[in-house]
Amino acid sequence: MTAAELTFDEQAALTAGVDLWHTAGVDRIGLAGIGVTDGPSGARGAEFMGSASTSLPCGTALASTWNRELIGRVGRLLGDEARARGACVLLAPTVNLHRHPLGGRNFECYSEDPYLTAEIAVAYIDGVQSRGVGCAVKHFACNDQETDRMEIDVVVDERTRRELYLLPFEAAVRRAGVWAVMAAYNRVDGRYCSEHPGLLTDLLRSEWGFDGVVMSDWFGTHSAAALGAGLDLEMPGPPMALGHHLAAAVEVGDVTADDVEQAAGRVRALIERTAPSRVRDGTSEPPDEVARAAATEAIVLLANDGVLPLDASAAAQIAVIGWRAERPEFQGGGSAQVNPPYVISPVQGIADRVGEDRVTFRTGRVAPRPAPISGAVRLDFFAAGDLSGTPLHRDTVRETTAVWIGEPAPGVPSTFSARMATSLTPDVSGSWTISVSGVGAARLYFDGELVGDTTGASSGAGILGLFTTPVEAEVALVAGSTHQVTAELDAAAADGPIAIAGLTIEVRPPIRPDAVEHAVRAAADAEVAVVVVGRDDPETEGLDAASMDLPPDQVELIGLAAAANPRTIVVVNAAAPVTMDWVDDVAAVVQLSYLGQETGTALAAVLFGDADASGRLTTTYPLRIEDAPAHPHFPGRDGTVEYAEGVFVGYRHYDTNGIE
């Protein structure tokens, strides 16, 4: 679409967002800006922790289905949900590869294999765009680690680049006709991807024929010269390099007026491509049915000596063990997070299938992990620095953790104050620990008394490592008593270029010295034991994992349960590889991954044979981290990472070198 009839200022305005989630429009010709929303496992809308969104399996789990038709259904659902939340572009799918087992964002990506990644991506994009919503495939290119992700310079030879890391993007462009591409933060061969003419112009447009919009990752635009290199849209706004800055850039020769016109034309074409009048008719499936089908097909049965499937009609007792059975990790951290309407835990899913009277649950953990308080949680928003008077906005959420990007709600500025309030009724007596952490200055009150203040606390926790280290307080509680818990946040104290604020209250029950003993006894007394294990901290954007190892106490629990009951099934609640030294000691191993809101229902369906365990791994599990092909070169040094393993990534490496 041409932008020639627009003034230069109107053209320039189209090249930059106006806020975190919206592009500019041109009122004079009735061209409205459009909204974009994060994916890829849900469509969140403009509020990071706002209204509920369907939580679907993570990327790795979706790819484990190896089912193009099912992925198309997922895409159509996401297209509908994006549109319902006022968004015309879904920032998805993520098609970077699993180069190394410790990559923090592996859960969001599909596979170590470029062909499988491409097949899943094409089906996903076809599904989303069939609903008149564009996909922005990301992150172009070689964005395969979180360590130093904003600056790292990737050195990779041409064959490896094309055969592995570019192949899924090429399929997205040439086969799926994707409408947008998101440039990565990192550099390739010394140039930032957002201003790399070799990638954005020579390859993407000239060779592959891409006719859509190239947008930056958020705050990933470094100069006006990016426009001349092939970038069309700087996100978010207000812009730091494009938009109204382009008049000066043209004047000094950094870009040309023709560059501005062409970029504006492509943005205009995207707006018109996603206009409501272009939405295609089609029957929408119930979200829970799609979520359940995808979660069920994603489960991978790694080992089984005949214990599975379990007999649901028998009267035998089932021991469900492990704190992750009650609080599963159903999604990875970062921009892929959504606020689901519900999450069915493994223990609940099993109990729903066979009846609560047949299930004995034990956490098996002496020192419980801190966790948010679940229940009705009130959030009140105020002007910055003022928590008095009538709130500007009020929300109710389901647990005491919240993250906001930009304006937390209509009418509330990005610099604000907030109060989070709920009640706590302990189930056991003893010394409980309560803590507060925030992005910004946070204070914690227990029954009206100030017990914690994060002012001056170091950051490095929570989403993207932006939260402060939790400040803790010990309180002596009696089982059944009810207490008021309140936290206050001054979001104006948040630092950094991305307007993120957050607040979390967590509680940790008393130490339970007999927890392991009770779990082992439950395993011994049951017909079968289901032990659910996972990492203490979830896989997340912003941080690469430190190790493949599960927490030592969970490994010990597996061994003790298996010794007490030879019919022990281990369920691994992790999306990336974990060390499995114990695999030969148990009757079955189920790879659960991160399955979204239907986690427990899907697991029960597979355990009891209601559905075939049809999932397939999408990445190779090394016996030890030292066997991983990229291990000697990950995550790089002195600002550079060399892909010295070349094309021998994943199974190519293990097969070629005879590594078990």
Side-chain angles (χ1 to χ4, degrees):
M1 295 291 177
T2 180
E5 70 267 35
L6 304 180
T7 68
F8 177 86
D9 288 345
E10 290 169 340
Q11 292 172 3
L14 287 179
T15 68
V18 296
D19 58 25
L20 273 165
W21 306 114
H22 296 88
T23 73
V26 181
D27 291 341
R28 180 177 63 84
I29 62 170
L31 186 72
I34 56 174
V36 304
T37 180
D38 272 326
S41 302
R44 190 175 57 238
E47 297 178 24
F48 199 88
M49 296 296 291
S51 59
S53 303
T54 303
S55 176
L56 294 155
C58 69
T60 301
L62 288 179
S64 290
T65 69
W66 292 53
N67 185 336
R68 298 181 185 89
E69 187 277 330
L70 176 60
I71 301 305
R73 293 169 60 193
V74 167
R76 291 190 290 275
L77 170 63
L78 288 171
D80 289 343
E81 294 221 337
R83 181 71 70 174
R85 285 155 183 77
C88 297
V89 175
L90 184 70
L91 305 178
T94 306
V95 299
N96 302 109
L97 300 185
H98 298 171
R99 176 175 174 255
H100 191 278
L102 301 185
R105 214 164 176 176
N106 282 353
F107 72 91
E108 192 176 320
C109 309
Y110 292 136
S111 175
E112 69 189 15
D113 181 65
Y115 176 76
L116 175 60
T117 298
E119 293 302 303
I120 299 298
V122 167
Y124 183 105
I125 294 166
D126 284 345
V128 173
Q129 295 190 168
S130 73
R131 314 306 280 180
V133 171
C135 278
V137 65
K138 59 185 185 181
H139 308 86
F140 189 62
C142 300
N143 186 188
D144 307 304
Q145 65 185 60
E146 295 304 286
T147 301
D148 196 22
R149 66 174 179 155
M150 307 288 286
E151 297 288 339
I152 195 74
D153 185 14
V154 176
V155 178
V156 54
D157 67 82
E158 183 73 6
R159 178 195 170 190
T160 300
R161 192 182 306 181
R162 284 181 175 269
E163 190 172 310
L164 272 70
Y165 300 99
L166 295 177
L167 190 147
F169 290 99
E170 184 177 6
V173 171
R174 287 184 159 175
R175 292 173 52 199
V178 72
W179 296 351
V181 172
M182 181 187 290
Y185 285 130
N186 55 281
R187 294 176 288 171
V188 172
D189 296 337
R191 285 181 176 266
Y192 286 109
C193 290
S194 61
E195 50 189 40
H196 197 307
L199 288 174
L200 304 185
T201 297
D202 299 343
L203 182 72
L204 190 59
R205 295 205 188 279
S206 298
E207 184 175 332
W208 293 351
F210 177 62
D211 66 353
V213 166
V214 178
M215 66 174 65
S216 72
D217 203 340
W218 267 228
F219 301 97
T221 306
H222 299 272
S223 70
L227 192 85
L231 190 76
D232 300 311
L233 177 62
E234 176 186 353
M235 289 298 291
M240 296 184 290
L242 306 189
H244 65 273
H245 300 286
L246 289 176
V250 169
E251 186 173 339
V252 300
D254 288 344
V255 296
T256 68
D258 187 57
D259 292 332
V260 178
E261 181 179 328
Q262 289 191 43
R266 289 189 284 262
V267 174
R268 178 179 180 178
L270 178 63
I271 294 173
E272 293 176 345
R273 229 172 189 172
T274 60
S277 61
R278 303 287 291 273
V279 176
R280 304 178 192 179
D281 293 332
T283 303
S284 298
E285 292 186 77
D288 56 341
E289 290 185 10
V290 178
R292 192 176 309 125
T296 304
E297 288 202 29
I299 293 174
V300 183
L301 181 60
L302 294 179
N304 181 25
D305 72 357
V307 67
L308 294 175
L310 301 176
D311 186 355
S313 64
Q317 196 70 9
I318 301 169
V320 180
I321 296 167
W323 75 286
R324 281 293 184 199
E326 185 178 42
R327 297 192 67 87
E329 203 57 62
F330 63 92
Q331 63 181 349
S335 57
Q337 290 179 248
V338 297
N339 179 31
Y342 61 87
V343 177
I344 299 174
S345 69
V347 66
Q348 186 61 55
I350 293 170
D352 289 346
R353 180 64 181 83
V354 299
E356 292 187 2
D357 58 325
R358 285 186 55 193
V359 176
T360 301
F361 170 66
R362 298 288 184 267
T363 65
R365 195 150 222 194
V366 172
R369 287 281 295 174
I373 304 170
S374 297
V377 180
R378 194 181 71 206
L379 282 170
D380 290 338
F381 298 93
F382 301 84
D386 183 6
L387 287 158
S388 62
T390 302
L392 299 175
H393 183 79
R394 173 169 287 175
D395 272 341
T396 300
V397 295
R398 63 186 184 86
E399 64 178 18
T400 54
T401 185
V403 177
W404 305 281
I405 300 182
E407 297 181 358
V412 181
S414 58
T415 53
F416 62 93
S417 292
R419 180 181 292 119
M420 176 184 286
T422 192
S423 61
L424 171 66
T425 303
D427 57 348
V428 294
S429 299
S431 179
W432 286 64
T433 302
I434 185 167
S435 66
V436 66
S437 176
V439 184
R443 295 165 296 279
L444 177 65
Y445 297 86
F446 189 81
D447 285 339
E449 179 184 353
L450 178 65
V451 295
D453 189 334
T454 69
T455 302
S458 60
S459 61
I463 180 175
L464 304 181
L466 297 176
F467 276 70
T468 58
T469 302
V471 174
E472 299 182 341
E474 300 292 327
V475 289
L477 303 180
V478 177
S481 59
T482 299
H483 304 269
Q484 299 305 308
V485 181
T486 304
E488 297 175 346
L489 176 74
D490 180 7
D495 192 16
I498 303 177
I500 293 180
L503 182 61
T504 296
I505 305 170
E506 293 188 317
V507 293
R508 184 172 64 241
I511 298 294
R512 300 180 180 180
D514 55 358
V516 174
E517 178 186 342
H518 286 174
V520 174
R521 186 180 305 135
D525 292 343
E527 178 70 18
V528 64
V530 179
V531 183
V532 183
V533 297
R535 304 176 189 273
D536 280 348
D537 298 306
E539 299 151 44
T540 182
E541 177 182 357
L543 295 171
D544 289 321
S547 170
M548 277 202 335
D549 296 342
L550 291 170
D553 66 329
Q554 296 194 53
V555 176
E556 179 186 20
L557 190 62
I558 292 170
L560 292 171
N565 190 328
R567 291 167 56 82
T568 291
I569 302 160
V570 176
V571 177
V572 181
N573 183 200
V578 299
T579 306
M580 295 187 183
D581 295 339
W582 38 263
V583 67
D584 294 328
D585 301 327
V586 299
V589 181
V590 176
Q591 173 68 18
L592 192 64
S593 194
Y594 296 165
L595 296 186
Q597 64 193 45
E598 289 286 339
T599 294
T601 304
L603 176 62
V606 168
L607 292 180
F608 293 99
D610 302 326
D612 180 33
S614 61
R616 304 289 184 266
L617 285 184
T618 71
T619 197
T620 305
Y621 278 44
L623 291 181
R624 58 192 194 115
I625 192 62
E626 292 80 7
D627 292 336
H631 180 72
H633 326 293
F634 178 89
R637 63 177 60 184
D638 301 326
T640 299
V641 58
E642 185 177 2
Y643 285 23
E645 67 279 3
V647 298
F648 295 100
V649 171
Y651 62 84
R652 299 171 177 221
H653 165 77
Y654 300 103
D655 289 353
T656 300
N657 295 288
I659 298 172
E660 187 178 359

